[in-house]
Amino acid sequence: MRNVAIIGGSGYGAAELVRLLHIHPYAKLTAIISHSKQGADFSTVYPHMNQIADQTMEQLDVKKLSETIDLVFFATPSNVSKTIIPDFLASGITCIDLSGDFRLHSPAVYQQWYQAEAAAEEYLHQAVYGLSEINAASVRSAKLIANPGCYPTAALLGLIPVTEKELIEPNSIIIDGKTGVSGAGRSLSQHVHFAEMNENVKAYKLGSHKHIPEIEQALQEYIAADIQLTFTPHIVPMTRGIMVTCYAKLTENITTAQIETIYHTFYQQHPFVRVRADGEVPTTKEVYGSNYCDIAIHVDERTNRLTIISVIDNLVKGAAGQAIQNMNICNGWDQTTGLQHAPIYP
């Protein structure tokens, strides 16, 4: 049994962590920390957790908390965890950060895209990028895990098998992403107001989304050159879900069936990635509430272009679920522990 805590307890990511940890057989949630909701019961902020998670949310006391926990999840906004995590690491506490503070290796790149000072370089080098299906060997021995972003999780699980095989031209990659409004967080803002969002689709952060360098950095580990890709995110009028449609020019003539075989082989030991049969196109509803990533592949033989469709639940596989999957890996537990939920449908 491991005692765990959540810092940043008022957001949707924390709510999903609490929901998933509730049934985890080896993890006990001992503390929920929230600066904005200190003193409030978690089930008051999230009434659906009444009589399930009634803990009173606390103010952060690093010394006190370090004496009682083995692992801490950071469900904080960017530019928060980088100032707190070093103190926990000094006490030997495993840290899983759901923000972007430790995902990028280069301080200069972080400053460029996040418009803020990066974490100390020693911690950027120490952090392991927690894309569970790809980096499990490194996660297993890590004390600081940078949980991937939601868009990068979907995009990278779709792109890495063919990038590794050098089957696509890296600088031909175009990613079209669509997310539900929960990806914007719980804070009130005009662009997710019902009257603004209902029956509407919006593109945003063209060429400037923080997930662009994260995806490029991860893909560059498989090729000997820099990657510059195009990523356009959209927000759509649904609560949960991400669909990314990735396009790339193929480097050789190959069929859809041949590429599907590559994907089935690549993910055959990874139960949370489901490669769909030719002609089956996954939808976000088919992974809703689960830790699954469903992938479909299509080769357009006329243009010799590959289309990859990848869907996840942005709050589960794109955040809390993958964080718990990483906790399972670094503790030597089966990756599926506490994450065996079937998707909710319809």
Side-chain angles (χ1 to χ4, degrees):
M1 183 66 69
R2 295 287 186 270
N3 292 323
V4 306
I6 299 169
I7 296 177
S10 63
Y12 291 141
E16 280 297 270
L17 282 168
V18 173
R19 180 178 75 89
L20 297 171
L21 288 168
H22 176 67
I23 66 163
H24 199 288
Y26 308 133
K28 179 182 179 182
L29 180 58
T30 61
I32 305 174
I33 308 299
S34 174
H35 175 73
S36 63
K37 301 294 184 181
Q38 175 194 4
D41 291 345
F42 186 80
S43 58
T44 300
V45 177
Y46 287 103
H48 71 292
M49 299 303 287
N50 186 32
Q51 299 183 41
I52 298 172
D54 296 318
Q55 291 109 311
T56 299
M57 291 189 280
E58 308 169 29
Q59 185 70 20
L60 177 62
D61 184 330
V62 174
K63 184 177 185 299
K64 178 183 175 183
L65 193 59
S66 296
E67 293 171 352
T68 60
I69 64 167
D70 304 294
L71 181 146
V72 59
F73 295 100
F74 283 81
T76 53
S78 296
N79 302 312
V80 174
S81 63
K82 65 187 180 186
T83 65
I84 305 171
I85 279 178
D87 292 331
F88 282 102
L89 293 175
S91 298
I93 308 298
T94 300
C95 298
I96 300 179
D97 183 23
L98 279 71
S99 82
D101 282 11
F102 296 92
R103 294 175 188 157
L104 300 178
H105 303 324
S106 165
V109 172
Y110 181 92
Q111 290 164 14
Q112 175 187 350
W113 290 87
Y114 283 77
Q115 302 298 303
E117 185 176 350
E121 200 160 355
E122 63 178 294
Y123 298 107
L124 295 180
H125 293 320
Q126 183 179 343
V128 169
Y129 189 62
L131 190 59
S132 303
E133 281 74 18
I134 307 301
N135 292 332
S138 298
V139 168
R140 197 166 290 121
S141 59
K143 298 298 288 184
L144 172 54
I145 299 166
N147 219 57
C150 48
Y151 278 126
T153 295
L156 290 169
L157 291 176
L159 286 165
I160 284 175
V162 284
T163 303
E164 182 191 54
K165 295 286 188 181
E166 299 182 349
L167 287 171
I168 58 174
E169 296 178 7
N171 286 325
S172 73
I173 297 171
I174 298 172
I175 302 171
D176 176 296
K178 296 177 177 66
T179 185
V181 293
S182 62
R186 204 182 193 200
S187 298
L188 298 178
S189 58
Q190 180 177 325
H191 77 284
V192 292
H193 189 286
F194 180 82
E196 301 277 343
M197 194 64 251
N198 185 48
E199 298 183 2
N200 200 8
V201 178
K202 302 178 184 179
Y204 64 101
K205 293 186 179 178
L206 276 67
S208 63
H209 199 286
K210 297 170 184 176
H211 288 162
I212 292 173
E214 182 180 339
I215 298 170
E216 290 177 344
Q217 175 182 272
L219 291 177
Q220 281 167 192
E221 296 188 9
Y222 296 90
I223 62 171
D226 289 340
I227 290 179
Q228 290 187 321
L229 54 80
T230 299
F231 170 50
T232 302
H234 304 75
I235 187 167
V236 300
M238 64 184 184
T239 301
R240 290 175 180 249
I242 277 183
M243 173 181 284
V244 296
T245 305
C246 305
Y247 306 94
K249 187 75 173 177
L250 288 162
T251 57
E252 60 183 75
N253 293 323
I254 192 169
T255 66
T256 298
Q258 289 173 311
I259 292 188
E260 282 180 355
T261 298
I262 290 169
Y263 276 75
H264 281 294
T265 301
F266 192 94
Y267 287 120
Q268 64 183 344
Q269 301 300 322
H270 300 287
F272 288 124
V273 178
R274 304 186 298 190
V275 181
R276 306 294 285 270
D278 186 17
E280 290 186 8
V281 180
T283 69
T284 57
K285 181 69 78 172
E286 292 161 359
V287 295
Y288 195 99
S290 79
N291 201 50
Y292 288 105
C293 174
D294 283 11
I295 297 173
I297 303 105
H298 174 72
V299 172
D300 185 337
E301 296 181 10
R302 183 179 68 87
T303 61
N304 203 35
R305 285 188 175 275
L306 175 66
T307 300
I308 305 162
I309 296 174
S310 177
V311 297
I312 62 171
D313 184 314
N314 57 295
L315 294 176
V316 188
K317 186 59 172 170
Q322 185 158 219
I324 290 173
Q325 188 177 354
N326 284 322
M327 176 185 70
N328 290 340
I329 293 169
C330 66
N331 280 286
W333 305 327
D334 188 286
Q335 289 192 32
T336 63
T337 304
L339 295 170
Q340 299 96 334
H341 312 80
I344 300 168
Y345 198 93

